[in-house]
Amino acid sequence: MTALPQGRTRRAALVTAICALAVTGATALTGCGGEDPDAGTNGVGKLPAAKIQARTRAAADGASAVRLSGTVVTSGRTYRLDMRLKSDGGTGSVTSEGGTFQLLRVGERLYLKADADFWTHADGSRGSAGKLDGKYVRVPQADPAYRKFSGFTDKDVLLDGLLTLHGALATAGRHEQAGTRTVRITGDKGAGGTLDVSLQGTPYPLRMVRAGDAGTLRFSDWNSDFTLTEPAPSETVDYGRQLPAS
């Protein structure tokens, strides 16, 4: 084998070192043989963090439907959510402090479905709990619970409240969520939350880690329509203007 001249050897070593640095920095340089991390993507990975955030918020706002799952910590209480949402309502489950209840909103009509334990009074008395076990209870709009629970079924309210990063925005490299390539943006170097945005197709948000250990959420089934159906009268209990105390 013919030996390379010393000058060519040094140049080759220098090119190798530069390419290694380029790969480490997730940057492809022409002639290094590395792959462009944005090849075949929607291109948002090339944008500054603030523009990525604006693009993903616009995509989320414009979507007709989404599935949201994960945890939200608020006022010292942890809620585990698994909700499917669209513009005219939503449905799914909420678990908090060991109890799980189902929510269904069709237009302005909100229903809550839970077992008898959910309706048991704080003093242990069961009252109407047996009658409400497994029934869809209509939540009156005048009841304070309506505003609290309807927020879990409102796509715009939930996304506005949850897709928020705090502090200075920055990008934090390429990642992957459920097989989809993403670019991650952060607030305050991660202390203000992190958001993974799809690099494939529409730049939808796919995973959110909220600031202050306030929960982790995943977003999927963007624009996948689903049917919201009112429960049958035989499955429904209507208390009029106020829910029973529980």
Side-chain angles (χ1 to χ4, degrees), residues 97-109:
E97 298 184 352
T100 299
F101 54 93
Q102 308 289 320
L103 289 173
L104 168 66
R105 184 173 63 84
V106 184
E108 298 299 317
R109 295 178 297 281

Side-chain angles (χ1 to χ4, degrees), residues 118-133:
F118 178 88
W119 298 106
T120 300
H121 295 188
D123 62 5
S125 59
R126 297 181 71 81
S128 304
K131 183 170 67 173
L132 303 179
D133 184 19

Side-chain angles (χ1 to χ4, degrees), residues 39-127:
T41 74
N42 53 28
V44 297
K46 299 178 180 179
L47 301 177
K51 289 190 175 182
I52 297 174
Q53 183 185 50
R55 293 278 184 92
T56 197
R57 287 298 298 268
D61 291 343
S64 61
V66 64
R67 181 178 181 179
L68 181 156
S69 60
T71 58
V72 173
V73 181
T74 180
S75 301
R77 176 175 290 188
T78 299
Y79 296 91
R80 181 170 295 279
L81 311 180
D82 189 356
M83 302 297 301
R84 298 194 69 186
L85 310 167
K86 57 183 183 176
S87 60
D88 59 347
T91 184
S93 66
V94 180
T95 300
S96 179
E97 298 184 352
T100 299
F101 54 93
Q102 308 289 320
L103 289 173
L104 168 66
R105 184 173 63 84
V106 184
E108 298 299 317
R109 295 178 297 281
L110 176 67
Y111 301 90
L112 190 157
K113 181 180 179 181
D115 60 20
D117 288 341
F118 178 88
W119 298 106
T120 300
H121 295 188
D123 62 5
S125 59
R126 297 181 71 81

Side-chain angles (χ1 to χ4, degrees), residues 108-173:
E108 298 299 317
R109 295 178 297 281
L110 176 67
Y111 301 90
L112 190 157
K113 181 180 179 181
D115 60 20
D117 288 341
F118 178 88
W119 298 106
T120 300
H121 295 188
D123 62 5
S125 59
R126 297 181 71 81
S128 304
K131 183 170 67 173
L132 303 179
D133 184 19
K135 295 286 188 178
Y136 284 97
V137 178
R138 174 83 175 267
V139 182
Q141 291 191 41
D143 193 291
Y146 183 91
R147 183 176 180 181
K148 177 180 180 180
F149 290 136
S150 65
F152 286 121
T153 65
D154 191 311
K155 171 181 172 286
D156 293 336
V157 168
L158 270 184
L159 294 183
D160 283 345
L162 297 176
L163 291 177
T164 301
L165 295 172
H166 302 277
L169 299 179
T171 55

Side-chain angles (χ1 to χ4, degrees), residues 213-227:
D213 296 323
T216 300
L217 294 158
R218 288 175 172 79
F219 307 90
S220 61
D221 297 338
W222 289 100
N223 280 328
S224 295
D225 196 19
F226 59 96
T227 302

